[in-house]
Amino acid sequence: MHTTRILADYVFASRADNLPERTHEAALRCILDLLTVAVAGYRTPAAEGTRRVARELYGNGRAAIWFSGQAMTATGAVLCNSTAASALDLDDGNRAARGHPGAAVIPVALAVASEINASAEAVIAAIVAGYEVGVRVAAARNAANAISRQSGRWSGYAAVATAGLLRKTPPHQMSHAFAIAGVTAPNQEANGSSGYSRLTGNDVKEGIAWSSAGGLTALHLAEAGLTGPEDILDHASHFSRAHLLGGLGENPLIGATYFKPYSCCRYNHSAIDAFTALMADHSLPPNDIVAVDVHTFGWALKLGNKIEPQNLVDVQYSIPYCIGMAAIMGSAALLPIEADALNRPDVSEFARKVTLHTDAALDARFPDETLARVVITTHNATFESPVTTPRGEPSNPMSWEDLREKFRVATRKVMREEQQHMTLEAVDRLAQGELGPLVRILAIPLMK
């Protein structure tokens, strides 16, 4: 039996009532965090431009363009909401996948749920299934033949699983939808840290939004009878079948999700955490620092790492500049990174003090871990951090209150306190099995 069909059978049989309590809670945490990053990214140029274009390309429907007061077809809503969610690089991730499942899965789940009046339990089950399939496909790739490591390469599989469970798509059609989504995924060969282009400061980023909308389209096409190459995942040259299917559904992978306290590439976070801890522990004024040496895994050195970024995406992919922001502007300036971070000669001057080094021992622990060790040199002394795991990993988690505080801080400039409270309350009601309050709050325009 083809791997796509085995995945489709797993998804079709998935139910919320047999999920462990910890898995149910993990899904709720992911929903809260995804709403946080989508609100924070709502007014970015990428999100605003996508909403304008989507109005021209997609018809009216029942799926909310979150916090806009508008609604479109589910596919149009997914494109808009996923773009907002991934615009600031503040969205959740998974180490095994080396990418971001939430920005694909949750916009699809809530858009499809709006069209078919799904229950809260069905939405939770669909989100868990979407994370499971997406992360497994991503983690099973043969790196030697992977065109790109970017999330858009596998987000479509996650979208198919999520929507397929909600729509009760028969497994034989869902299997073809997986195949169609995989074939038509954006190749991403040029873009991102694994791409050949050096101009990473662009709005394509990882292609998550396009891939997610494409996955939902693939499902509709398969339901209409279109077929794809069902053996797409069955070739060891490209995917490990054992890795992809081993233990399927036994310990849901949504529990391994990490969350981000800063709106920049996860590869930056351990260095930022180590640096800010040293500054705080030793009360180091920025002007006293003459050098910052970051010892980390090799892939972090493949980022743009620009000293004078030209746009916010450049900032997201620059370890030196983000450390400079933390030193000069404070780490609060990273939640989220906004336009006032650009054109800062003082931050660029500090960023020039930052030197990146590949640490062989830390590199050997990548991609399972993204670690860093930082050495700060002042005029009079040298201070060294321990090897640091970034905050928000399952081994160094953010609590429920941490995630609520992230929501309050990250959305404070675009959402009134009243609407913040309503949104948090809607997530609490979802935990009690009520989806209606969340659907209603997503349809209300931002109050600020």
Side-chain angles (χ1 to χ4, degrees):
M1 184 181 291
H2 293 304
T3 301
T4 55
R5 180 57 186 268
I6 295 172
L7 291 175
D9 287 339
Y10 155 75
V11 171
F12 189 77
S14 296
R15 296 169 53 187
D17 58 8
N18 60 5
L19 293 175
E21 184 178 346
R22 66 180 183 279
T23 301
H24 192 274
E25 180 174 327
L28 292 168
R29 289 162 62 88
C30 290
I31 292 168
L32 171 58
D33 192 73
L34 201 280
L35 294 178
T36 299
V37 302
V39 174
Y42 181 85
R43 289 182 176 154
T44 58
E48 290 182 340
T50 299
R51 289 194 296 273
R52 287 197 301 272
V53 171
R55 281 195 291 270
E56 299 175 5
L57 297 180
Y58 297 94
N60 294 329
R62 298 177 60 186
I65 310 305
W66 297 345
F67 302 108
S68 72
Q70 301 175 7
M72 294 183 194
T73 62
T75 307
V78 167
L79 186 65
C80 293
N81 297 330
S82 181
T83 298
S86 58
L88 293 174
D89 219 325
L90 189 56
D91 44 322
D92 72 24
N94 179 281
R95 286 265 50 82
R98 293 175 62 176
H100 307 280
V105 170
I106 294 170
V108 170
L110 294 177
V112 174
S114 295
E115 286 195 330
I116 65 173
N117 294 320
S119 68
E121 292 78 10
V123 168
I124 295 296
I127 288 170
V128 172
Y131 274 71
E132 189 76 14
V133 170
V135 170
R136 282 179 173 273
V137 171
R141 290 173 294 181
N142 182 336
N145 289 323
I147 295 174
S148 167
R149 305 296 288 186
Q150 304 307 302
S151 302
R153 294 293 302 151
W154 50 267
S155 299
Y157 292 97
V160 168
T162 305
L165 179 53
L166 285 167
R167 291 174 60 84
K168 297 181 173 59
T169 305
H172 73 279
Q173 293 180 337
M174 201 187 310
S175 178
H176 281 287
F178 283 134
I180 295 169
V183 168
T184 58
N187 69 48
Q188 288 287 302
E189 185 177 3
N191 218 40
S193 60
S194 61
Y196 62 77
S197 173
R198 295 298 90 200
L199 301 178
T200 55
N202 62 74
D203 292 319
V204 176
K205 300 186 76 176
E206 296 203 38
I208 298 171
W210 185 256
S211 182
S212 303
L216 184 53
T217 301
L219 186 71
H220 284 287
L221 291 172
E223 290 175 349
L226 277 74
T227 63
E230 287 184 279
D231 69 340
I232 188 170
L233 301 176
D234 295 331
H235 298 269
S237 58
H238 287 74
F239 293 93
S240 166
R241 182 181 174 98
H243 199 164
L244 213 163
L245 298 179
L248 179 63
E250 292 178 3
N251 186 23
L253 297 177
I254 194 170
T257 302
Y258 67 73
F259 302 103
K260 289 176 156 187
Y262 315 122
S263 63
C264 56
C265 179
R266 189 57 165 179
Y267 295 177
N268 302 21
H269 284 226
S270 55
I272 296 169
D273 284 341
F275 172 77
T276 54
L278 280 180
M279 283 194 71
D281 291 346
H282 301 284
S283 301
L284 301 177
N287 291 340
D288 283 357
I289 296 174
V290 297
V292 178
D293 290 279
V294 176
H295 302 267
T296 189
F297 52 98
W299 211 276
L301 277 66
K302 296 182 181 182
L303 300 178
N305 289 318
K306 293 185 178 180
I307 302 300
E308 296 181 347
Q310 299 303 302
N311 53 59
L312 294 183
V313 181
D314 277 344
V315 177
Q316 294 166 18
Y317 295 114
S318 176
I319 296 173
Y321 200 82
C322 286
I323 287 178
M325 287 181 61
I328 302 300
M329 304 172 68
S331 59
L334 298 166
L335 183 61
I337 295 173
E338 297 180 306
D340 61 357
L342 296 172
N343 303 314
R344 291 288 302 253
D346 52 346
V347 174
S348 292
E349 181 181 357
F350 193 95
R352 290 188 180 91
K353 302 176 183 180
V354 179
T355 304
L356 307 180
H357 310 270
T358 300
D359 183 304
L362 303 186
D363 196 45
R365 296 167 67 176
F366 177 83
D368 293 338
E369 299 175 278
T370 53
L371 308 173
R373 174 174 55 86
V374 171
V375 178
I376 295 178
T377 303
T378 68
H379 294 289
N380 302 313
T382 298
F383 306 91
E384 182 172 348
S385 79
V387 172
T388 300
T389 297
R391 185 165 170 250
E393 294 287 330
S395 60
N396 185 20
M398 296 173 70
S399 67
W400 260 110
E401 186 50 41
D402 290 335
L403 292 175
R404 289 188 179 95
E405 183 63 13
K406 174 183 173 178
F407 173 82
R408 287 187 283 262
V409 172
T411 66
R412 67 194 185 282
K413 293 185 178 180
V414 294
M415 182 179 273
R416 291 181 186 173
E417 187 175 340
E418 175 190 357
Q419 196 170 17
Q420 287 181 322
H421 176 75
M422 292 167 61
T423 305
L424 291 172
E425 185 178 42
V427 174
D428 290 339
R429 296 279 291 277
L430 181 62
Q432 299 166 18
E434 298 179 60
L435 182 61
L438 182 59
V439 171
R440 289 190 289 273
I441 191 65
L442 293 176
I444 298 175
L446 288 174
M447 295 181 176
K448 205 170 197 179

